[in-house]
Amino acid sequence: MSAITEENVRKALSHVQDPELNRSITDLEMVDTVTIEDTQVSVHILLTIAGCPLKNTIEADVKKAIYAIPGVTNVEVTMGAMSPEQKEKLREKLTGPTRQIQFAQEDSLTKVFAVTSGKGGVGKSTMTANFALAMAKDGLKVGVVDADIYGFSIPRMLGVDVQPSVIDGMIVPPQTKDGIKVISIGMFVPDGQAVVWRGPMLHRALQQFLADVFWGDLDVLLLDMPPGTGDVAISIAQLLPSSQIVVVTTPQVAAAEVAERAGAIANQTGQKVIGVVENMSYLVQSDGTHLEVFGRGGGESTAARLSAALDYEVPLLGNVPLDITLREGADKGESVINDGGVGAEEIIAVSRKLSQVKRGLAGMSLGVSPV
């Protein structure tokens, strides 16, 4: 029988991850003490916050890891909480001594997409949520910022109903069951309460969502933008110059004209519009024909006009039909990506086109120096 030592107990615990931070509990220095008496092991775990809602998960994972050590017959786990000094040390370990927007750094490999529209009601948030679900299904690590401060809806659409944890001022975003990290002002205000802020407050909130949230390593960050070209659009261009714009419209002429203006902001901000998505394109009838409820051609028109205005090709990425399962899924906070409906199929196709887009070059070093 193998000897039970503190070294092999800690080695076993190195495979246990904190469910919020997705890092080993030994790497996070959460394993305080290990006591061994013959075949019995006692460990004291320091939680990042007192009353951690996931402490039962951590306890179960700790016991499972230690029981896997040959010879262990009993495991006792006690829980404590980190001191302010330990939390500060942990926060610095995760984010560095100064808080920066990681996605704005030149070595960031995360693709950042700002999903925007000219007016409300075109399904921009529904597209954002479902793009995130489709990308997560494809194995990408995805984060979503609900940048629509006044009209936040992402928490409901992605089924997130818990508040973020805070460690020494660092916000740990909740995750969906698909592993998508989400942050929204809706997690910080009581139900039914309106957010009444002017521009500077909006900018500060967005800055906190980007700099003070522990996102970890993401493949894609999606921003659900408010409609139009106001304060939030300008702030995002300043905070995330490498972000790329996805314009959502409907086939309706009136919506397409306004959507074009939302994309044209790229002329002033230096961002790139990478494509247009036409939502509510048609309704599939029982006989298989398409009923064009809101007309036709809005997406094509927006893409063509933006291509001319920006002097580069802005493609039409896809035409998403009216699909009642998408609406039901958004209301229930349930994914319909696996259902195989016509709406889900088109969203998956568009999300894969986005996944293949290279990160924006703004702010990146090209490795060129003057001679």
Side-chain angles (χ1 to χ4, degrees), residues 105 141 224 302:
Q105 306 307 305
K141 291 176 285 187
D224 182 30
T302 301

Side-chain angles (χ1 to χ4, degrees), residues 16 72 176 189 202-203 213 223 241 286:
V16 177
V72 173
T176 70
V189 298
L202 294 174
H203 183 89
V213 172
L223 306 167
S286 56

Side-chain angles (χ1 to χ4, degrees), residues 37 46 51 75 77 89 91 107 201 209 217 239 274 298-299 329 344 349:
E37 294 183 5
L46 297 176
V75 178
V77 179
K89 184 179 178 182
R91 194 266 304 163
D107 60 349
M201 289 289 288
F209 285 172
D217 295 325
L239 296 169
I274 59 168

Side-chain angles (χ1 to χ4, degrees), residues 201-336:
M201 289 289 288
L202 294 174
H203 183 89
R204 178 57 185 148
L206 293 171
Q207 193 171 37
Q208 281 193 283
F209 285 172
L210 296 170
D212 293 350
V213 172
F214 177 68
W215 291 104
D217 295 325
L218 296 182
D219 296 306
V220 178
L221 179 70
L222 294 167
L223 306 167
D224 182 30
M225 302 288 286
T229 55
D231 291 317
V232 170
I234 297 169
S235 289
I236 289 299
Q238 294 172 340
L239 296 169
L240 294 171
S242 64
S243 59
Q244 302 178 83
I245 297 173
V246 180
V247 177
V248 179
T249 186
T250 67
Q252 190 174 357
V253 174
E257 289 178 346
V258 182
E260 180 190 343
R261 298 174 209 149
I265 191 176
N267 266 331
Q268 283 76 46
T269 63
Q271 295 164 283
K272 183 176 181 180
V273 179
I274 59 168
V276 175
V277 178
E278 183 183 272
N279 190 28
M280 309 180 198
S281 292
Y282 54 86
L283 179 65
V284 180
Q285 303 293 284
S286 56
D287 61 358
T289 60
H290 294 177
L291 175 62
E292 294 168 333
V293 179
F294 297 106
R296 67 163 65 184
E300 290 181 357
S301 171
T302 301
R305 292 169 68 92
L306 282 173
S307 296
L310 300 172
D311 201 27
Y312 57 79
E313 183 184 1
V314 177
L316 177 62
L317 297 172
N319 301 78
V320 180
L322 283 163
D323 187 343
I324 194 170
T325 60
L326 290 178
R327 194 274 302 163
E328 292 175 339
D331 287 344
K332 296 177 182 177
E334 298 176 356
S335 173
V336 297

